[in-house]
């Protein structure tokens, strides 16, 4: 697979170097690579290399491979004369694969590529390709809707697509995936070659595929499977065709279309077949029939630039991948190997992996948290020179089956990733990191001995997000930043009991976001957390900022959250009427359309869950229930039961002043709450445990004086 190979790249050095470009056959090129050919008799040589972004000519409605041949890419023999070649594949990233026609005498070639900045594209004529060896597989992206009921429709769709995925020589028609990419996507494909028939006579021919396929020999349909069909493993009579073939060469074509993420292509035959399909012994078209043995694969040598004395160089290999639960994007392990030689090899080497992470190891193992196209850079710095090699690399899970005995594990990847500077990730990658740490948390049983590990990974999540929000100017993207702020802020606030860290997360996210409602909600959450620490002045400032951001017709959750927190803040200031108005605004904006009886039942269920967790002293799950209840039904605070349970939560957590503050807030919001007496008693207990007996006595006096009818008074 071509992703095993990768190297070299575009660069920068001091401007003092100003050498002439490689001038060859009337053209000018910036880079060149030597290609050694061990088997000089091989008619076709296939070579992959990285082009450092130098092969990028494109034209509307034109195949970029054809557009670049002779203009930004040229192949010559050792005598520096152009030879026939094909650009088989450009991309993904800066990957290039070429096929070179060998006259059976050459032991090497040179590929030139890249047009100097001050030059126009070259106009060098490339000799015509005449060799018939090999079966060439070509894939193109689907350009739009097309029919699958006949060959003409599929062939027209293939020709219409000007977005080639690539091409390469294959042994025969037998694939369960697109061999040119690691991604499962719809595509159109075509196999072309020369079929050499040794035994003349009658043949049974079958094509079977997921979706349609058509096999042509000498321009005539020899077998077909039209329409959207699943692959068949049986030689049913309707798919078996019989043809007569003479000895010698025959034109071979095979068209296929896959309109979804699944695909398969299979062509088989049998000489002198039995008339009974059940007795057929079909086999694949042998690779020798297409002359596959004439295809020699070699790697190009190190890049040489016309304006540079040398360049860093490397190769890489995707070693494995690990999925995350409920996440389609797998983590990918990549082993990089330094191949730098010459002047650059004597310098200090630094890797930049394109995801914000770096390494000074000679040949590092790097874990990418999600698939994608990454610009990997290897820098070399000497006393006199700074040289850099950059290439865009497509990272995706390997398609080849991994050894079951040596499958990578989550913990193995964690051991590498925990050393990263997470603040340098972009927001989408940070979401992956949070999923990774959460997956690790989910593997730990809730036991005293695992509690430190729980705390470790929760703190890694919260601090990584906070550091990125505060320190990374490129940490952008409203949806991702918003999700991260709510997730990490909640972890810091409710699981780590680090209100200051949570407040920093919410405030930094509010400053980073561009969507007003999200900003308002994050300001509200920062204010809510400030109220947890009894800092009403700071809470007021956050709410003032959030009020300016909130739209009149905004996101329901944002509006609910903002006015719920505003109601708590106003109650803290002793403004009961304004607090009740804010609660009403939160409830009206919530979009709860359930009948009243159903809402009561749902809140009853939430309260019972919170009570059961309180009885078990499972405070993490208790606060989860309270937050969900609070989010869905902000007006529940008026009734007061959620406030009572939250006060008992704070009491259990040892946050005694917070429990008292909730009682004060409820007395302002709704002094007639049916739970106010128990709330006052809870506040008194909390203040006593805090060592503030005077305040505890005041709560008890309020209970006796203001609620004499309460059954708790006699206790």
């Amino acid at each position: 697979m071509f992703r095993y190979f990768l190297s070299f790249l575009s660069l920068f050095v001091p401007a003092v170097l100003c050498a002439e470009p490689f001038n060859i056959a009337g053209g000018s090129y910036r880079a060149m690579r030597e290609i050694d050919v061990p088997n000089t008799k091989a008619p076709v040589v296939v070579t992959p290399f990285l082009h450092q972004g130098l092969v990028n000519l494109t034209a509307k409605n034109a195949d970029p491979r054809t557009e670049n041949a002779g203009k930004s890419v040229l192949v010559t023999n050792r005598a520096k004369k152009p030879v026939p070649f094909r650009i088989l594949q450009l991309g993904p990233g800066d990957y290039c694969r070429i096929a070179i026609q060998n006259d059976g005498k050459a032991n090497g070639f040179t590929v030139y590529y890249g047009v100097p900045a001050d030059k126009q594209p070259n106009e060098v004529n490339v000799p015509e390709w005449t060799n018939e060896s090999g079966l060439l597989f070509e894939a193109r992206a689907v350009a739009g809707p097309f029919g699958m009921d006949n060959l003409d429709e599929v062939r027209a769709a293939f020709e219409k697509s000007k977005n080639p995925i690539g091409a390469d020589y294959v042994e025969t028609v037998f694939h369960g995936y697109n061999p040119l990419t690691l991604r499962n996507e719809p595509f159109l494909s075509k196999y072309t070659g020369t079929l050499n028939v040794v035994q003349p006579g009658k043949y049974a021919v079958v094509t079977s595929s997921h979706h349609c396929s058509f096999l042509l020999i000498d321009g005539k349909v020899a077998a077909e499977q039209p329409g959207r069909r699943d692959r068949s493993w049986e030689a049913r009579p309707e798919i078996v065709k019989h043809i007569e073939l003479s000895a010698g060469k025959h034109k071979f074509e095979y068209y296929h279309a896959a309109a979804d993420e699944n695909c398969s292509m299979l062509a088989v035959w049998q000489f002198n077949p039995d008339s009974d399909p059940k007795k057929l012994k079909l086999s694949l078209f042998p690779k020798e029939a297409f002359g596959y043995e004439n295809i020699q694969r070699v790697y190009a040598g190190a890049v040489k630039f016309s304006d540079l004395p040398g360049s860093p160089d490397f190769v890489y290999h995707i070693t494995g991948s690990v999925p995350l639960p409920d996440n389609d994007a797998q983590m990918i392990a990549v082993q990089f190997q330094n191949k730098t030689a010459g002047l650059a090899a004597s310098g200090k080497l630094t890797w930049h992996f394109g995801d914000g992470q770096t390494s000074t190891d000679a040949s590092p193992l790097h874990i990418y948290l999600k698939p994608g196209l990454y610009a990997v850079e290897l820098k070399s710095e000497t006393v006199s020179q700074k040289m850099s090699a950059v290439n865009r690399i497509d990272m995706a899970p390997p398609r080849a089956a991994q050894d079951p005995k040596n499958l990578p594990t989550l913990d193995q990847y964690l051991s590498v990733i925990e050393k990263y500077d997470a603040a340098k990730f972009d927001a989408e990658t940070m979401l992956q990191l949070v999923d990774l740490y959460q997956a690790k948390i989910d593997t730990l049983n809730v036991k005293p001995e695992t509690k430190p590990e729980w705390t470790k990974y929760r703190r890694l999540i919260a601090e990584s997000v906070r550091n990125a929000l505060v320190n990374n100017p490129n940490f952008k993207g409203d949806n991702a930043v918003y999700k991260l702020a709510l997730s990490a802020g909640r972890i810091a606030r409710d699981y780590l009991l680090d209100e200051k860290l949570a407040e920093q997360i919410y405030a930094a996210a509010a400053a980073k976001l561009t969507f007003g409602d999200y900003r308002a909600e994050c300001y509200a959450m920062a204010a809510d957390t400030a109220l947890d620490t009894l800092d009403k002045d700071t809470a007021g400032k956050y709410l003032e900022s959030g009020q300016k951001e909130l739209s009149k017709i905004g996101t329901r959750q944002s509006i609910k959250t903002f006015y719920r927190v505003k109601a708590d803040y106003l109650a803290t200031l002793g403004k009961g009427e304004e607090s009740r108005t804010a609660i009403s605004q939160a409830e009206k904006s919530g979009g709860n359309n359930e009948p009243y009886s159903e809402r009561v039942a749902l809140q009853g269920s939430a309260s019972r869950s919170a009570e059961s967790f309180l009885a078990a002293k499972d405070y993490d799950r208790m606060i989860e229930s309270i937050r969900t209840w609070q989010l869905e039904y902000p007006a529940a605070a008026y009734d007061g039961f959620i406030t009572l349970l939250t006060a008992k939560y704070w009491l259990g957590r040892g946050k005694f002043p917070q429990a008292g503050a909730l009682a004060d807030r409820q007395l302002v919001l709704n002094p007639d709450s049916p739970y106010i007496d128990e709330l006052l008693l809870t506040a008194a207990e909390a203040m006593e445990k805090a060592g503030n007996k005077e305040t505890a006595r005041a709560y008890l006096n309020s209970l006796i004086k203001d609620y004499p009818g309460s059954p708790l008074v006699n206790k």
Side-chain angles (χ1 to χ4, degrees):
M1 179 56 63
F2 64 78
R3 285 168 185 76
Y4 185 89
F5 171 85
L6 215 164
S7 65
F8 333 119
L9 329 154
S10 93
L11 26 135
F12 61 87
V13 292
V16 294
L17 291 172
C18 188
E20 287 295 316
F22 296 114
N23 295 310
I24 191 79
S28 296
Y29 301 89
R30 188 183 172 204
M32 56 90 77
R33 295 176 187 270
E34 298 289 351
I35 303 168
D36 293 328
V37 180
N39 180 8
T40 59
K41 301 298 183 182
V44 178
V45 177
V46 176
T47 300
F49 63 92
L50 278 297
H51 61 70
Q52 305 84 48
L54 298 179
V55 182
N56 55 9
L57 294 179
T58 58
K60 188 175 181 180
N61 297 323
D63 187 333
R65 297 173 301 178
T66 302
E67 284 295 301
N68 281 283
K71 297 180 181 180
S72 64
V73 180
L74 183 69
V75 179
T76 69
N77 57 22
R78 296 298 194 209
K80 296 186 178 182
K81 293 185 178 181
V83 298
F85 76 96
R86 293 171 167 177
I87 300 177
L88 299 179
Q89 185 157 339
L90 285 175
D94 293 335
Y95 179 85
C96 181
R97 180 192 293 116
I98 61 173
I100 305 168
Q101 183 170 299
N102 189 4
D103 60 7
K105 301 176 182 178
N107 61 359
F109 300 93
T110 305
V111 57
Y112 297 89
Y113 60 94
V115 179
D118 59 343
K119 302 288 185 178
Q120 295 296 316
N122 301 296
E123 294 295 340
V124 179
N125 291 324
V126 177
E128 183 180 357
W129 185 279
T130 58
N131 193 278
E132 297 180 346
S133 297
L135 180 65
L136 187 66
F137 171 82
E138 181 180 355
R140 298 186 182 183
V142 175
F146 63 94
M148 295 188 181
D149 292 332
N150 59 67
L151 170 64
D152 291 340
E153 291 177 322
V154 176
R155 181 156 45 192
F158 183 87
E159 298 299 332
K160 179 182 177 182
S161 175
K162 300 301 181 182
N163 186 15
I165 296 171
D168 197 7
Y169 290 94
V170 295
E171 294 184 358
T172 189
V173 182
F174 181 49
H175 291 100
Y177 52 85
N178 183 346
L180 303 178
T181 177
L182 294 176
R183 287 170 170 78
N184 296 323
E185 299 172 333
F187 70 98
L188 297 152
S189 63
K190 177 184 179 182
Y191 298 75
T192 54
T194 299
L195 176 67
N196 187 27
V197 175
V198 177
Q199 293 178 294
K202 187 176 182 181
Y203 284 82
V205 184
V206 172
T207 176
S208 183
S209 57
H210 178 79
H211 293 164
C212 63
S213 57
F214 303 87
L215 169 60
L216 289 79
I217 296 179
D218 295 328
K220 298 179 181 179
V221 175
E224 62 182 346
Q225 191 174 36
R228 290 176 174 262
R229 299 173 180 269
D230 288 332
R231 180 176 175 178
S232 171
W233 293 98
E234 297 179 3
R236 300 191 306 269
E238 65 269 21
I239 67 172
V240 178
K241 305 298 180 182
H242 294 86
I243 60 173
E244 291 283 341
L245 291 175
S246 61
K249 297 180 178 180
H250 297 266
K251 182 180 179 181
F252 182 94
E253 298 171 276
Y254 185 94
Y255 287 90
H256 164 262
D260 57 27
E261 295 183 353
N262 300 308
C263 79
S264 63
M265 306 90 91
L266 169 70
V268 290
W269 67 345
Q270 182 184 344
F271 173 68
N272 194 22
D274 194 288
S275 59
D276 184 354
K278 294 182 179 180
K279 296 182 179 180
L280 288 175
K281 295 182 179 179
L282 298 162
S283 61
L284 295 171
F285 285 80
K287 61 183 180 180
E288 294 80 11
F290 300 110
Y292 185 77
E293 68 279 5
N294 295 325
I295 310 299
Q296 182 178 188
R297 296 181 183 274
V298 298
Y299 288 127
V303 63
K304 295 180 182 178
F305 291 91
S306 62
D307 53 356
L308 299 172
S311 171
D313 184 13
F314 65 89
V315 295
Y316 83 100
H317 173 49
I318 297 176
T319 63
S321 64
V322 170
L324 292 170
D326 303 318
N327 190 324
D328 293 334
Q330 297 189 34
M331 297 180 294
I332 302 160
V334 184
Q335 181 66 59
F336 290 92
Q337 186 176 2
N338 173 34
K339 292 289 186 180
T340 303
L343 177 63
S346 64
K348 177 184 176 182
L349 296 176
T350 305
W351 297 83
H352 295 260
F353 298 110
D355 59 357
Q357 305 307 308
T358 63
S359 175
T360 55
D361 293 347
S363 296
L365 173 72
H366 188 70
I367 309 296
Y368 287 93
L369 287 166
K370 61 186 179 71
L373 198 64
Y374 295 90
V376 179
E377 180 178 23
L378 178 58
K379 291 183 177 181
S380 172
E381 184 174 356
T382 68
V383 174
S384 59
Q385 300 286 345
K386 291 182 179 180
M387 291 165 280
S388 173
V390 182
N391 235 312
R392 296 173 300 154
I393 303 173
D394 186 38
M395 298 301 180
R399 190 181 296 282
Q402 301 177 59
D403 183 356
K405 297 180 181 179
N406 297 304
L407 288 176
T409 66
L410 190 68
D411 285 342
Q412 288 174 331
Y413 280 24
L414 272 171
S415 66
V416 176
I417 293 170
E418 286 177 22
K419 300 174 184 176
Y420 290 172
D421 184 353
K424 294 182 178 178
F425 283 133
D426 61 33
E428 291 293 337
T429 304
M430 185 67 78
L431 283 172
Q432 291 291 110
L433 182 68
V434 170
D435 272 3
L436 167 62
Y437 288 151
Q438 190 59 56
K440 176 60 179 178
I441 291 170
D442 293 342
T443 65
L444 301 172
N445 295 322
V446 187
K447 296 179 180 179
E449 60 268 25
T450 62
K451 200 71 174 179
E453 239 185 320
W454 275 57
T455 303
K456 169 189 171 182
Y457 287 107
R458 283 172 168 169
R459 185 158 291 280
L460 279 172
I461 290 173
E463 291 186 349
S464 296
V465 173
R466 187 272 310 277
N467 293 342
L469 285 167
V470 172
N471 300 319
N472 186 349
N474 298 317
F475 198 75
K476 300 174 182 178
D478 275 9
N479 288 334
V481 169
Y482 174 71
K483 290 177 184 178
L484 287 165
L486 295 189
S487 174
R490 184 171 176 176
I491 287 171
R493 181 186 184 189
D494 294 339
Y495 303 135
L496 300 176
L497 301 183
D498 191 336
E499 291 87 357
K500 284 299 179 184
L501 176 57
E503 184 182 328
Q504 291 170 354
I505 291 169
Y506 292 131
K512 184 79 71 172
L513 291 162
T514 61
F515 180 50
D517 288 348
Y518 286 173
R519 285 169 66 93
E521 185 177 351
C522 284
Y523 275 128
M525 292 305 298
D528 204 20
T529 309
L531 288 176
D532 284 351
T533 60
L534 311 182
D535 186 355
K536 61 183 179 182
D537 292 338
T538 300
K541 293 176 182 178
Y542 285 136
L543 288 170
E544 183 179 353
S545 297
Q547 188 76 63
K548 297 175 183 178
E549 302 291 341
L550 199 63
S551 60
K552 293 181 179 179
I553 305 176
T555 308
R556 287 175 175 175
Q557 178 175 324
S558 299
I559 296 175
K560 278 197 299 184
T561 298
F562 182 84
Y563 283 110
R564 175 189 63 76
V565 177
K566 185 175 181 180
D568 289 344
Y569 169 69
L570 292 168
T572 301
L573 297 182
K575 299 180 179 182
E577 189 61 38
E578 293 178 59
S579 177
R580 288 186 284 275
T581 299
I583 278 285
S584 178
Q585 287 178 290
E587 188 68 17
K588 288 178 182 177
S589 65
N592 293 321
N593 300 317
E594 303 98 333
Y596 176 76
S597 59
E598 185 175 338
R599 294 177 65 188
V600 170
L602 290 171
Q603 291 189 69
S605 175
S607 66
R608 286 190 294 274
S609 294
E611 285 183 291
S612 65
F613 294 138
L614 174 63
K617 296 184 178 181
D618 188 346
Y619 296 116
D620 283 356
R621 298 180 70 184
M622 181 185 182
I623 197 63
E624 288 174 3
S625 297
I626 288 174
R627 297 299 185 210
T628 303
W629 181 8
Q630 195 177 48
L631 179 64
E632 292 296 324
Y633 304 102
Y638 186 81
D639 173 76
F641 189 42
I642 190 173
T643 309
L644 172 62
L645 289 177
T646 306
K648 290 185 175 183
Y649 164 80
W650 285 126
L651 180 63
R653 286 291 202 189
K655 300 272 188 173
F656 305 125
Q658 285 84 341
L662 288 178
D664 295 336
R665 192 185 298 172
Q666 191 66 40
L667 285 169
V668 174
L669 177 63
N670 180 16
D672 297 323
S673 164
Y675 305 101
I676 193 67
D677 53 348
E678 191 174 356
L679 187 53
L680 287 168
L681 191 62
T682 301
E685 182 183 355
M687 290 295 91
E688 184 178 20
K689 289 186 175 181
N692 193 338
K693 294 185 178 181
E694 184 177 342
T695 304
R697 194 176 301 112
Y699 283 127
L700 290 175
N701 287 336
S702 177
L703 171 60
I704 295 169
K705 179 183 176 182
D706 299 327
Y707 303 96
S710 168
L712 298 177
V713 171
N714 295 328
K715 293 183 179 181

